[in-house]
Amino acid sequence: MTNFAGKVAFVTGAASGIGLSIATAFAQAGAKVMLCDIEKDALDAALAGLKATNADVDGVLADVSLKDEIQAAADATMTRFGKVNFLVNNAGVGGGGGYSEWTDASWDWTIGVNLMSVIWGVEIFGPLIEQAAKTFGDSGHIVNTASMAGLVSGGSPSYNVTKFGVVAFSEGLRAPMAERGIGVSVLCPGFVKTRIIESARNLQARHGEQLEEVSPTSEAGKFAMLAMASIPSGISPDYVAELVLEGIEGDWPYILTDNTFEDAVDARFDAIKAGFDRISDRS
């Protein structure tokens, strides 16, 4: 069983939703936690709430779609805590429009936050986790937040692409990181009670003042409407956080939150298998 006490976790998107619940779960398990977020007021409130419980936590503001800001956050974490054992690349935003609706700006924003921040997070924090393992004999683990949209497509193409990317990236890291004593899990939540539908509140000026209009009759629009109807009564982020810590302890490759999309995932893999069956006698 993993001993979290005294170890250090870095969590992005940590001021609300799943990120805050994961940071809280780490703190309750005795870990020291650096919360990273782009929203100052929300981060300040999250830190105040955790510090009121005597948790050993701190916070750093960062736009994780900018590599330099992730590096600065890593430097701040090392200055404050001296090591890092757990990385949770959790920050994420909703996607843009579907075919004939999307813009370069929404692709850039979605890819930057949902995918590149995960890649850069591993690139920057991976060596720090290795260093802690060598110096202190500590175990380490990386959790990358994807989505069920990383296992079965639906809705926004840019969102799907980034989440499939996070799944593939995490799967590919399992073996090489295991050789370094670091576990890797990919978290694929279903509909969780968060503010992801309000992602545009954090849209940065370089991406424009607003996202493109999405037709409610397009595939992206239909899925957005489904999400808007489902998320308010969705899974508790606290439950997701419990699963994340259990997944770290068990070194789960995939951390799933519910069975809602299980049939859709089965159908996807059945279709892939059918593709093999069609050409099985041609070799």
Side-chain angles (χ1 to χ4, degrees), residues 85 122 125-135 137-142 172-184:
N85 306 107
V122 172
F125 279 89
L128 302 180
I129 298 173
E130 287 188 69
Q131 179 183 321
K134 293 175 182 177
T135 304
D138 290 344
S139 59
H141 204 96
I142 296 168
L173 284 174
R174 285 276 298 177
M177 298 308 279
E179 294 174 357
R180 295 165 169 80
I182 300 171
V184 178

Side-chain angles (χ1 to χ4, degrees), residues 3-4 12 17 35 51 72 81 89 98 120-121 126 128 150 152 156 171 199 204 219 234 238 243 270:
N3 181 11
F4 294 102
T12 67
L35 286 74
K51 287 178 179 178
F81 294 116
N89 285 310
W120 291 329
L128 302 180
V152 56
S156 165
E171 289 174 341
S199 297
Q204 300 299 290
E219 287 304 308
D238 292 343
L243 291 172
D270 286 345

Side-chain angles (χ1 to χ4, degrees), residues 154-189:
S156 165
S158 59
Y159 188 76
N160 296 336
V161 165
T162 60
K163 296 307 184 179
F164 264 80
V166 171
V167 170
F169 182 59
S170 302
E171 289 174 341
L173 284 174
R174 285 276 298 177
M177 298 308 279
E179 294 174 357
R180 295 165 169 80
I182 300 171
V184 178
S185 301
V186 60
L187 170 63
C188 295

